[in-house]
Amino acid sequence: MLRILSIVFVLYSSAVLGAESSGENNAAKPLVHLYTYHYKPPFLIDTHAQQGFYYDVVDYFNEQSELYQFTVTYLPRKRLDYLLGQQQLNGIVMGVLPKWFDDTNEQNYQWLPGFYPDKDAFVSLTSTPFKYINQASLTGKVIGCVAGHYYVNVNEAVEKELAQRIDTVAEYQVLQLVKKRRADFGLISESTFKYFAKQSDFTGNFHVSQKSHDEYSRRAFITSTQPKLHEEIRRLFALAQSTGSWQSLRKKYE
């Protein structure tokens, strides 16, 4: 009996020490942030439960990297811009385009390839469908938008007083403006609209214009000046591309 207890104690001690050693190894890895200012599905669904596409990306990166530990960090756009200006960010800004950061020549940041195809879609009610052709299509319309977002042609039409813009806090609220007929149509990311459509029964209430406002592939840029970190991040992005992992990670949200 004593021998059995001794063996159990040894096995238990080994397991605990192994877990502690593993924890220490993880803790010893430098922490790298995946920053995002898009607090919306499918990218961030539930930060408390750590659900959403970016959390899946972090899990994948942590499985594949022996050098760094990755984590998702949400920052409002104004806070993100401030910290970028102060050079106080260490990591990757996810889901963005160079033109959104006045870096169309890609000189200010280290840009990574696209990883998530997306669109900005015009969404209206099926009873009063909106068909977008060009800026003239916006004349006399009330447009629901997310506050702080710039939309080419839309902003200009509003400035010329050809159209009216109503801002709200997020894309779900944009859909509510349309549903309540406070806006003729709204602008919403297609990826987000598809997520909402899968989660509820309102799909039939909305019409998506065949011509979108903009089509793009979401990208990321590196804010750190550490060459070793750059190399590892580029390796992870390339690995996800070559193995089809980007597509696999997106699949459950599309």
Side-chain angles (χ1 to χ4, degrees), residues 59-67 232 235-236 239 245:
D59 289 342
Y60 174 78
F61 283 180
N62 284 335
E63 288 175 0
Q64 300 298 327
S65 180
E66 297 180 357
L67 302 177
E232 178 68 354
R235 184 188 72 82
L236 292 170
L239 180 66
S245 296

Coordinates of all heavy atoms in Angstrom, one line a residue, residues 59-67 232 235-236 239 245:
D59 N -5.1 31.3 -31.3 CA -4.9 29.9 -30.9 C -3.9 29.2 -31.9 O -3.0 28.5 -31.6 CB -6.2 29.2 -30.8 CG -7.0 29.6 -29.6 OD1 -6.4 30.2 -28.7 OD2 -8.2 29.3 -29.6
Y60 N -4.2 29.5 -33.2 CA -3.4 28.9 -34.3 C -1.9 29.4 -34.2 O -1.0 28.6 -34.2 CB -4.0 29.3 -35.6 CG -3.1 28.8 -36.8 CD1 -3.1 27.5 -37.2 CD2 -2.3 29.7 -37.5 CE1 -2.3 27.1 -38.3 CE2 -1.5 29.3 -38.6 CZ -1.5 28.0 -38.9 OH -0.8 27.6 -40.0
F61 N -1.7 30.7 -34.0 CA -0.4 31.2 -33.9 C 0.4 30.7 -32.7 O 1.5 30.3 -32.8 CB -0.4 32.8 -33.8 CG -0.7 33.5 -35.1 CD1 -0.7 34.9 -35.2 CD2 -0.8 32.8 -36.3 CE1 -1.0 35.5 -36.4 CE2 -1.1 33.4 -37.5 CZ -1.1 34.8 -37.5
N62 N -0.3 30.5 -31.6 CA 0.3 30.0 -30.4 C 0.7 28.5 -30.5 O 1.7 28.1 -30.0 CB -0.6 30.2 -29.2 CG -0.7 31.6 -28.7 OD1 0.3 32.4 -28.9 ND2 -1.7 32.0 -28.0
E63 N -0.1 27.8 -31.3 CA 0.2 26.4 -31.6 C 1.5 26.3 -32.5 O 2.3 25.4 -32.3 CB -0.9 25.7 -32.3 CG -2.1 25.4 -31.4 CD -3.3 24.9 -32.1 OE1 -3.2 24.7 -33.4 OE2 -4.4 24.6 -31.5
Q64 N 1.6 27.3 -33.4 CA 2.7 27.2 -34.4 C 4.0 27.9 -34.0 O 5.0 27.6 -34.6 CB 2.2 27.8 -35.7 CG 0.9 27.1 -36.3 CD 1.2 25.6 -36.6 OE1 2.3 25.3 -37.0 NE2 0.2 24.8 -36.5
S65 N 3.9 28.8 -33.0 CA 5.1 29.5 -32.7 C 5.8 29.1 -31.4 O 5.1 28.9 -30.4 CB 4.8 31.0 -32.5 OG 5.9 31.8 -32.2
E66 N 7.1 28.9 -31.5 CA 7.8 28.5 -30.3 C 8.5 29.7 -29.7 O 9.2 29.6 -28.6 CB 8.9 27.4 -30.6 CG 8.3 26.1 -31.1 CD 9.3 25.1 -31.4 OE1 10.5 25.4 -31.3 OE2 9.0 23.9 -31.8
L67 N 8.4 30.9 -30.3 CA 9.1 32.1 -29.9 C 8.3 33.1 -29.2 O 8.8 33.8 -28.3 CB 9.7 32.8 -31.2 CG 10.7 31.9 -32.0 CD1 11.1 32.7 -33.2 CD2 11.9 31.5 -31.2
E232 N 9.1 36.2 -37.7 CA 8.2 35.1 -37.2 C 6.7 35.4 -37.6 O 6.0 34.5 -38.0 CB 8.3 35.1 -35.6 CG 7.3 34.1 -35.0 CD 7.7 32.6 -35.3 OE1 8.6 32.4 -36.1 OE2 7.1 31.7 -34.7
R235 N 6.3 34.5 -41.2 CA 6.3 33.1 -41.3 C 5.0 32.5 -41.0 O 4.5 31.6 -41.7 CB 7.4 32.4 -40.4 CG 7.5 30.9 -40.5 CD 8.4 30.3 -39.5 NE 7.8 30.3 -38.2 CZ 7.0 29.4 -37.7 NH1 6.6 28.4 -38.6 NH2 6.4 29.4 -36.5
L236 N 4.4 33.0 -39.9 CA 3.1 32.5 -39.5 C 2.0 32.8 -40.5 O 1.1 32.0 -40.8 CB 2.7 33.0 -38.1 CG 3.5 32.6 -36.9 CD1 3.2 33.4 -35.7 CD2 3.3 31.1 -36.7
L239 N 2.6 30.6 -43.5 CA 2.2 29.2 -43.2 C 0.7 29.0 -43.2 O 0.2 28.0 -43.8 CB 2.7 28.9 -41.8 CG 2.4 27.4 -41.3 CD1 3.1 26.4 -42.1 CD2 2.8 27.3 -39.8
S245 N -4.9 27.3 -43.9 CA -5.4 27.5 -42.5 C -6.3 28.7 -42.5 O -7.3 28.8 -41.7 CB -4.3 27.6 -41.5 OG -3.6 26.3 -41.5

